[in-house]
Every structure is written in C-alpha cells, then in structure tokens.
Amino acid sequence: MNRVHLFLAVSSAALSFAMAAAPDSGAAPDGWMAGTPRAELRPKFSYLATGGPTGGDRLVIESDDREGLVGWWTRTLPVEGGRHYRFHALRKLNPEEASRRTAVVRVIWQDDKGQLVMHDEPSTASYQPGAIPRAEPEYPRDRGVAAQGWTEVTDDYRAPSRARQAVLELNFRWAPHARLEWSDVSLTPIPAPPPRRVRLATVHYQPKEGKT
C-alpha cells in the first residue's frame, strides 16, 4: 500500500469514528446515532426517555462556551421509491433566537447501498438542460410554536423512484451556550396529494419608441 492509499484509509477511518459515536449520557434508542465532522468540534449529546411535549423522549445536543461546535443526531429508515412521506418533529432551542441557523433538519434520499439517488425528472435549468440532476437533501420547514414552547417542524415529500432509504439528520450548528432538544421525530407514509388545477398566463411585451 503506497503512502497516498494509506493516508486515505487512515483519514476515512478517523472520519467514520468522528461521525458515528455514542451519546455522552443515556442510551440512545435503536437506530439513532450521534455524529460530528471532527472530534474537536463535538458538542455534548444526551438522550432522555421522558420530558417531551407529549411525554415522549428527547434527543439533546448542548454546546459549551466555544463557538463553531457542530453535531447531529441521525437515523436511517427504509422507504419505498415514488411514495409520499411526511417528516415531523418538535424542536426546542435555548436561546430560540438562533434557531434558523443553529437547528437544521435534513432528509437525504439514498439507494439500498447508501448512495445518493437521482431525480425522476430531467432538469429545466439553463445549465445542462435535460440532464437528470441529483436529488438534493430536503429541508423541512418550521410551522409555528406548539405547546410548551416547542416548534413544529414538518413537510411532505415524494421519495424519488430509486430511493430505498431516507437518512434523517437533526443538526446543531455553531451557537455557544445553547441547548437543542428534539422530540416526536418521525417519517411516515401518507397518501399522494390530490391533483390541482392551476391557471397560467404569459405576456409577450415588446416596448417600442421608448427612451431610457
């Protein structure tokens, strides 16, 4: 094995170790893992079996006085390609002012080998029109504050046809002296939405004899 291959192998092993680790306190439920890009950026992870807004468990990430800490809770779930799903979670962040930057959810579509999948439809963008683009992560949106100061995060998605699993990421980013809690996290199949009738209009306007 030459030096380049050895370096890549060691780097890959170190990254895998840093990205998947047990929480600092409490045994996480089946399927959930704590992750961070590098050990020195790791915040504190803990799991609490009770205390959620509906009495359920909580996945907690906390930072100390250092800025720039990054970590996430992650779980992989099986999905059926082409089916519709609803992501739902309840989030509480202290201080709440940093929520849009600090608390980010991602839903990542993968095939049965853990590789990213492609969209079903070709692109209509000006760059490489007609090409099949990669299915980028979904970012569920905030839907308002629920009971006891918890924020509801939910959105509906159609899984790409080639998707066989979805990776849920509950991210914490950068804020010092912060505590982020997640509860009632789920990805459940739902019926396809009914078709909608829309009205489109276009205007072809050619200015003449004008001055600028």
Side-chain angles (χ1 to χ4, degrees), residues 58-144:
R58 291 176 288 164
L59 299 165
V60 184
I61 306 177
E62 297 177 87
S63 61
D64 51 29
D65 58 349
R66 294 172 295 165
E67 295 185 355
L69 300 186
V70 177
W72 55 82
W73 285 101
T74 183
R75 185 182 184 185
T76 302
L77 297 173
V79 298
E80 181 181 340
R83 192 166 187 179
H84 289 77
Y85 290 85
R86 174 168 296 161
F87 174 86
H88 177 271
L90 295 174
R91 181 200 72 223
K92 179 183 281 188
L93 177 65
N94 184 23
E96 179 64 26
E97 294 78 11
S99 62
R100 293 194 65 183
R101 185 182 72 167
T102 301
V104 178
V105 177
R106 299 202 309 166
V107 179
I108 305 169
W109 307 111
Q110 296 181 344
D111 61 17
D112 54 359
K113 297 180 180 179
Q115 301 299 313
L116 297 177
V117 298
M118 309 300 283
H119 272 293
D120 294 341
E121 303 296 333
S123 173
T124 58
S126 58
Y127 176 73
Q128 291 187 338
I132 303 295
R134 184 176 62 187
E136 297 296 335
E138 316 283 4
Y139 291 85
R141 295 171 290 176
D142 293 0
R143 299 293 183 174

Side-chain angles (χ1 to χ4, degrees), residues 119-199:
H119 272 293
D120 294 341
E121 303 296 333
S123 173
T124 58
S126 58
Y127 176 73
Q128 291 187 338
I132 303 295
R134 184 176 62 187
E136 297 296 335
E138 316 283 4
Y139 291 85
R141 295 171 290 176
D142 293 0
R143 299 293 183 174
V145 179
Q148 306 173 37
W150 291 78
T151 298
E152 183 180 28
V153 183
T154 184
D155 251 322
D156 297 344
Y157 302 106
R158 179 185 180 275
S161 296
R162 296 177 179 85
R164 297 296 179 267
Q165 57 189 21
V167 179
L168 310 184
E169 280 188 2
L170 312 177
N171 289 275
F172 175 93
R173 299 177 179 179
W174 309 319
H177 301 292
R179 177 184 173 93
L180 174 61
E181 301 180 53
W182 298 97
S183 187
D184 293 352
V185 183
S186 63
L187 184 72
T188 55
I190 59 173
R196 295 183 301 168
R197 179 175 296 178
V198 299
R199 179 177 296 175

